[in-house]
Amino acid sequence: MFSLSEENYLKTIYHLEQAYKEGVSTNALAEGMDTKASSVTDMIKKLSEKSLVKYRKYQGVKLSESGRKTAVEIIRKHRLWEVFLVEKLDFSWDEVHEVAEQLEHIKSEKLIRQLDKFLEFPSRDPHGDPIPNADGKFVVSNQTLLAELQKGNSGIFVGVKDSSAEFLRYLDKIQVSLGKLIKVIDKEDYDQSMIVEVDGLKINISQEVSNNLHIKMT
């Protein structure tokens, strides 16, 4: 059994490892957890004693095999709960993250197995992020960022890199939602902003926005 705080650290380290391949620094982890570096150091020591992480001075911290397994289990629960909240309880996609943050710490394995079955084994959450299966395996799909597309290219909007409530509400405002076909009508050389077409509607997209939209090419 791990504490809520320990589980949050493991999940945060997992996500940060995507950017810090050689190891997550204490400062990066402190920023990710919104806490002091001294608190991070204490937690790393606890996690190391439980063989959940490996720490090397000047290189940072990395998850051990058991630490990664635990982190993936937490992510699986979080994303399944997000699907449940959106599909069964009519939450909007910008509301579910904080609630799922609480539900992901429920320990019952049977509950999660039954939840997965009840939802008919979804492969992606409401933000397009892959849901690991019961064996901890992720579905791999060929995606790119909208920012990489050129004039005339098109693709299906399948996920977001930025899942903040503010960004999701912005996408709702401009009527861009998962599963929609996005076609690049024009791309500005100066600032890489775009004019795209979605459902016959032409929309101006900034580079910041296009860098946060995952697209599956058609």
Side-chain angles (χ1 to χ4, degrees):
M1 284 291 191
F2 308 115
S3 70
L4 184 149
S5 180
E6 288 171 336
E7 290 188 346
N8 283 337
Y9 266 90
L10 292 174
K11 186 177 69 170
T12 301
I13 294 169
Y14 178 91
H15 288 308
L16 288 173
E17 278 188 346
Q18 314 308 310
Y20 300 91
K21 303 294 185 183
E22 301 303 317
V24 179
S25 70
T26 300
N27 288 337
L29 187 50
E31 184 177 349
M33 291 297 300
D34 192 23
T35 190
K36 298 177 181 178
S38 57
S39 299
V40 170
T41 302
D42 292 340
M43 179 56 75
I44 289 174
K45 183 177 179 182
K46 290 180 183 178
L47 296 175
S48 295
E49 290 171 352
K50 294 184 177 183
S51 300
L52 294 168
V53 300
K54 299 174 182 178
Y55 178 76
R56 294 181 65 180
K57 197 172 182 179
Y58 306 121
Q59 292 189 9
V61 64
K62 297 186 74 172
L63 294 173
S64 66
E65 186 175 339
S66 61
R68 181 166 285 99
K69 181 175 181 292
T70 302
V72 169
E73 287 172 355
I74 299 164
I75 291 167
R76 169 175 160 77
K77 289 187 284 185
H78 181 102
R79 294 178 179 174
L80 283 172
W81 283 120
E82 287 192 334
V83 174
F84 176 76
L85 291 166
V86 168
E87 292 190 358
K88 306 302 179 182
L89 298 185
D90 295 325
F91 278 70
S92 61
W93 68 339
D94 61 286
E95 295 177 315
V96 294
H97 183 71
E98 289 187 8
V99 182
E101 286 275 301
Q102 301 169 51
L103 294 169
E104 71 187 23
H105 299 290
I106 294 173
K107 306 299 183 186
S108 172
E109 292 182 8
K110 181 177 180 180
L111 174 61
I112 301 306
R113 286 198 305 271
Q114 293 299 100
L115 177 64
D116 194 17
K117 182 179 178 181
F118 176 66
L119 296 171
E120 298 181 344
F121 309 102
S123 61
R124 294 193 174 275
D125 73 10
H127 310 117
D129 292 318
I131 301 173
N133 63 20
D135 296 322
K137 305 296 183 183
F138 289 86
V139 175
V140 178
S141 62
N142 188 22
Q143 299 178 5
T144 188
L145 293 173
L146 178 60
E148 301 299 322
L149 272 60
Q150 302 302 318
K151 181 178 178 179
N153 292 158
S154 61
I156 303 297
F157 173 35
V158 294
V160 292
K161 189 162 71 172
D162 177 2
S163 58
S164 67
E166 293 80 8
F167 184 61
L168 298 177
R169 285 195 291 268
Y170 173 73
L171 293 180
D172 286 338
K173 183 178 179 180
I174 63 173
Q175 300 178 50
V176 174
S177 57
L178 292 182
K180 292 290 182 72
L181 177 69
I182 298 179
K183 182 177 180 179
V184 180
I185 303 301
D186 199 9
K187 188 171 184 178
E188 180 60 53
D189 291 335
Y190 173 66
D191 61 0
Q192 300 299 297
S193 61
M194 296 177 171
I195 298 175
V196 302
E197 184 177 343
V198 183
D199 283 347
L201 182 68
K202 288 185 172 59
I203 304 169
N204 290 308
I205 298 286
S206 69
Q207 185 181 33
E208 183 175 1
V209 171
S210 66
N211 268 319
N212 280 291
L213 301 183
H214 290 296
I215 300 294
K216 186 175 182 180
M217 296 286 288
T218 56

